[in-house]
Amino acid sequence: MTAGGHRMTTGPSPAGSIYDIGYRRYEGPRLGRRHAFTTLFVGALRAAYGVGRPARAKILPAFCLVLPAIVAVIIVAMNAFAARFGVSGLSQIPDHPDMASAVGLFATILVAVQAPELLGRDVRYRVLSLYFSRALLRADYALAKLAGLSLAVVVLLLVPHAILTVGKVLLTSDIAGALGREAGAWPAILGSVVLTAAATAGVALVVAAYITRRAYATVTVFALFIVPGIIVLVIMGLDLGSASRWVVLLDLGTVLDAANAWFFGVAPSPPVWPKTGLPAVLGVITACVIALGAGGILVQRYRTIAA
Amino acid sequence: MLEANAATAEPLIRVGELTKRFPGVVALDALTLDIPAGIVGLVGANGAGKSTFLKILLGLLAPTSGRAEVMGYVPWSEGTQLRRFVGYMPEHPALPPDVSATEFVAQAGQLSGLPAKAARERTADVLRHVGLAEERYRPIGGYSTGMRQRVQLAQAIVHDPRLLLLDEPTNGLDPAGREEMLGLIRRTGTEFGIAIVLASHLLGEIEEVCDHLVAIDAGRLLRAAPMAEFTAETGVLTVEVEEGREALAAGLAARGLRLLEGSGRADRTVRIALGGGAPFDAVRDLAADLGLPLVRVEQGRHSLEDLFRDDVAARTAAGDPAQASAGTSAGSGRGGPS
């Protein structure tokens, strides 16, 4: 009360006096590139989910995060139903290996929408010169964005796996045994999720690095994820001989499906990859090349971009 | 205040034979100079190479050839270490619209090497310094031009730099906003003790704020000197005669006086640049010897603008037409690679 009263009596201060506070020097530590990189990385991760942005920036990321979780809950419910009523053919209930194809679409949506947000904004509003004038390299900026968006996708993809694991463990009477089985599945889960995230985020960021207009970039990312799949399907359908099977490597979706199959030790899903007769490990290699290539292109792009 | 800053002995920035070529344009042409601590004005027409120069000092651009050292660091190879101690305000608006000033400036502080907590504290400090109150929590997209410029200044000083590079900091501001921004810059340089290089095409601004002046034109050094030296040199003596102007001009030039080109009634007046003392006796004697009808002898101060026009004119006279034409085109064109 007294403080409020005091403020009332002083009244509004003249405009000049609000600046009149002694300047304090900064004597503390001055950290370097690693700190700057971490800051940008965390910033990119936050931006990917709209944290610290207006509410409308959070809607779509939340949607992409929650729907896969719902998918996982449904799968758990199917498991519960099967356990309760003893339905045979338990193997037909989706499990970890099926998760990628069940929720992969949401990863695509997240990167298609958020990659242009992460990169395009700084180009459009010319913020890059303020970033590049700080204690970091241009490459740090590009790689921090890639790492941030990749981790955002990792989170999105891991949540349903985590829900499924918890559900499966809780549903069984043999908790210790279930825990052991689930723990055994997690290296494969982590491998497939990290590779999927790095490749999808990388491709989307490369598009966003060259197409500044947000809408065009988003559409182009979707096109890159969808159109090659159709082309591959058509070419494979034409039966042009064994050389044509290599075109399958142009479709990121099919490549990642083969990579996931390799991680989980199952067969790649039909129809495309099995028809080629290529080993599933080729999917892993191709996805790695795509992810690393995207990182390289990004760094190169930001080395020369005007700031 | 000027003396205190100008007295710092060691130059903050050393530049030697610095050249930057863009396709079709030479932005910097073998620029050699030392810049002392204090508030240094970097003046030149649009396209003279000011922005390019600042970007090279920051390590944002690598030069085509030449040397530069900023506080002991080579900008293009030791940029990340150097930039922990340098603040930069670009000439164009460079703020994202969807975050608040607080969030953006705090991130800027961290990117310059401050730990998160220190960055937050100093953000509150510097935003108060530049006069941003409650609005600092709202997205920048809703700010006025003046507020944005304040945020741009705040992000440049959040990490307490030793050196501040300001590129046309009053761009787009109305006269009142311009005065406030210049006041803030002067305070930053004097009270906070941060060395400043202020690039501007407006000599008035430089004259108002700076204690040292560097003039470049077409990527070349025109002059570099303490402001006091420039103002001492800006004296001009106008002599008006009824007739015989040519004879008077020739006579004055023969006595080693520097005549100025330019404005006024060119058919009847001669303008003499004043270096030290005023050459009243010479004018009187010459007029008497030639029997010229003397109308007036008037001592005045010409602006810094005149000074630089004279410099360019002198260079033209000295038989460097290519340079002179480059200077004019740089002055008229806005869209150069600055």
Side-chain angles (χ1 to χ4, degrees):
Chain A
M1 286 300 279
T2 48
H6 177 69
R7 215 175 300 143
M8 289 296 284
T9 54
T10 2
S13 45
S17 70
I18 44 174
Y19 319 139
D20 253 345
I21 302 149
Y23 182 82
R24 278 191 291 171
R25 296 235 72 117
Y26 176 72
E27 306 292 353
R30 289 177 190 265
L31 310 169
R33 263 180 73 191
R34 188 179 300 180
H35 178 65
F37 182 90
T38 312
T39 303
L40 271 183
F41 164 68
V42 172
L45 180 60
R46 282 164 54 95
Y49 282 108
V51 180
R53 306 289 156 91
R56 64 190 146 75
K58 299 181 176 74
I59 297 170
L60 194 121
F63 166 87
C64 289
L65 193 60
V66 168
L67 284 188
I70 292 175
V71 169
V73 169
I74 291 171
I75 295 174
V76 170
M78 289 166 77
N79 273 297
F81 189 82
R84 179 84 166 75
F85 299 104
V87 176
S88 60
L90 233 149
S91 62
Q92 285 176 11
I93 295 176
D95 200 354
H96 291 296
D98 311 299
M99 200 60 87
S101 49
V103 303
L105 174 66
F106 299 104
T108 307
I109 295 173
L110 186 77
V111 297
V113 174
Q114 296 302 75
E117 191 66 30
L118 254 54
L119 295 184
R121 185 196 70 165
D122 292 346
V123 173
R124 218 171 328 130
Y125 296 100
R126 309 185 70 179
V127 195
L128 283 179
S129 54
L130 294 190
Y131 284 123
F132 294 166
S133 63
R134 318 212 89 93
L136 51 88
L137 298 178
R138 286 161 169 253
D140 297 335
Y141 173 91
L143 292 177
K145 296 279 179 178
L146 177 58
L149 187 60
S150 298
L151 185 59
V153 177
V154 164
V155 169
L156 181 153
L157 293 175
L158 275 189
V159 165
H161 282 293
I163 290 173
L164 188 56
T165 290
V166 171
K168 283 168 79 179
V169 169
L170 292 183
L171 280 174
T172 175
S173 47
D174 174 23
I175 289 183
L179 266 178
R181 278 194 304 279
E182 285 300 310
W186 271 80
I189 291 171
L190 287 174
S192 83
V193 161
V194 168
L195 187 57
T196 304
T200 49
V203 168
L205 285 172
V206 165
V207 171
Y210 285 93
I211 303 177
T212 313
R213 289 284 292 276
R214 187 183 161 158
Y216 296 154
T218 297
V219 168
T220 307
V221 173
F222 276 125
L224 271 183
F225 280 96
I226 295 166
V227 174
I230 298 168
I231 293 173
V232 165
L233 213 57
V234 169
I235 291 178
M236 295 301 290
L238 292 177
D239 223 358
L240 296 173
S242 69
S244 71
R245 62 188 178 155
W246 295 101
V247 298
V248 76
L249 299 182
L250 294 178
D251 176 35
L252 184 61
T254 310
V255 165
L256 286 175
D257 182 75
N260 289 331
W262 182 84
F263 278 113
F264 287 106
V266 298
S269 10
V272 177
W273 193 281
K275 203 175 164 189
T276 62
L278 295 170
V281 71
L282 199 57
V284 178
I285 295 166
T286 309
C288 284
V289 168
I290 289 173
L292 292 175
I297 293 171
L298 264 185
V299 167
Q300 198 49 44
R301 168 67 172 156
Y302 274 84
R303 193 165 284 159
T304 52
I305 199 168
Chain B
M1 82 186 199
L2 301 185
E3 293 74 11
N5 279 324
T8 316
E10 187 68 6
L12 211 60
I13 300 168
R14 288 173 187 276
V15 168
E17 296 289 317
L18 198 65
T19 298
K20 177 68 182 179
R21 285 192 201 92
F22 292 105
V25 193
V26 180
L28 293 180
D29 190 0
L31 191 65
T32 300
L33 79 149
D34 286 356
I35 294 180
I39 309 182
V40 177
L42 179 64
V43 68
N46 288 313
K50 302 187 298 293
S51 296
T52 303
F53 184 50
L54 293 190
K55 284 179 182 174
I56 289 177
L57 293 183
L58 261 175
L60 289 186
L61 278 180
T64 311
S65 63
R67 306 175 305 277
E69 218 176 76
V70 180
M71 296 184 289
Y73 294 103
V74 176
W76 48 92
S77 62
E78 299 169 300
T80 54
Q81 291 109 295
L82 165 66
R83 289 193 290 265
R84 290 179 299 169
F85 302 102
V86 181
Y88 172 57
M89 184 170 167
E91 62 182 324
H92 52 80
L95 300 170
D98 57 344
V99 295
S100 67
T102 304
E103 177 148 357
F104 185 74
V105 175
Q107 194 199 36
Q110 289 196 60
L111 293 179
S112 289
L114 302 194
K117 185 164 171 285
R120 277 196 303 276
E121 285 169 5
R122 286 200 53 88
T123 296
D125 270 15
V126 295
L127 285 176
R128 225 170 18 230
H129 272 300
V130 301
L132 226 62
E134 288 309 311
E135 56 268 34
R136 65 178 184 267
Y137 300 111
R138 292 205 306 267
I140 294 169
Y143 290 10
S144 68
T145 310
M147 281 157 67
R148 283 170 207 235
Q149 283 299 79
R150 286 155 189 257
V151 177
Q152 295 219 137
L153 181 61
Q155 64 80 30
I157 58 173
V158 62
H159 52 300
D160 188 22
R162 301 278 175 273
L163 170 66
L164 191 54
L165 303 176
L166 305 175
D167 199 352
E168 305 279 1
T170 59
N171 253 3
L173 296 179
D174 58 25
R178 187 177 287 267
E179 278 309 306
E180 280 188 60
M181 179 53 68
L182 290 176
L184 273 170
I185 292 168
R186 198 184 306 109
R187 279 200 51 195
T188 306
T190 54
E191 289 176 37
F192 308 176
I194 298 172
I196 296 177
V197 175
L198 165 65
S200 178
H201 66 284
L202 300 169
L203 274 164
E205 280 182 2
I206 302 252
E207 222 169 349
E208 195 177 329
V209 176
C210 301
D211 49 44
H212 201 95
L213 199 148
V214 172
I216 60 174
D217 185 59
R220 284 193 175 184
L221 182 68
L222 222 46
R223 284 223 211 155
M227 189 60 84
E229 223 167 273
F230 276 93
T231 36
E233 270 187 47
T234 55
V236 61
L237 191 69
T238 305
V239 181
E240 186 174 345
V241 287
E242 284 282 0
E243 55 184 37
R245 179 196 174 278
E246 305 308 322
L248 176 67
L252 291 170
R255 290 174 189 227
L257 293 171
R258 197 159 74 88
L259 302 187
L260 301 171
E261 303 276 322
S263 58
R265 302 173 57 184
D267 53 330
R268 294 175 53 168
T269 59
V270 177
R271 294 162 75 238
I272 307 162
L274 300 182
F280 292 113
D281 290 353
V283 171
R284 182 201 57 203
D285 295 348
L286 193 61
D289 291 352
L290 296 171
L292 295 177
L294 200 58
V295 178
R296 77 183 159 111
V297 177
E298 184 181 308
Q299 187 173 5
R301 232 187 111 223
H302 73 172
S303 65
L304 282 172
E305 267 100 346
D306 288 337
L307 198 64
F308 293 120
R309 193 173 51 224
D310 297 337
D311 278 348
V312 174
R315 224 166 44 189
T316 318
D320 196 357
Q323 265 304 315
S325 68
T328 358
S329 67
S332 55
R334 265 199 157 261
S338 54

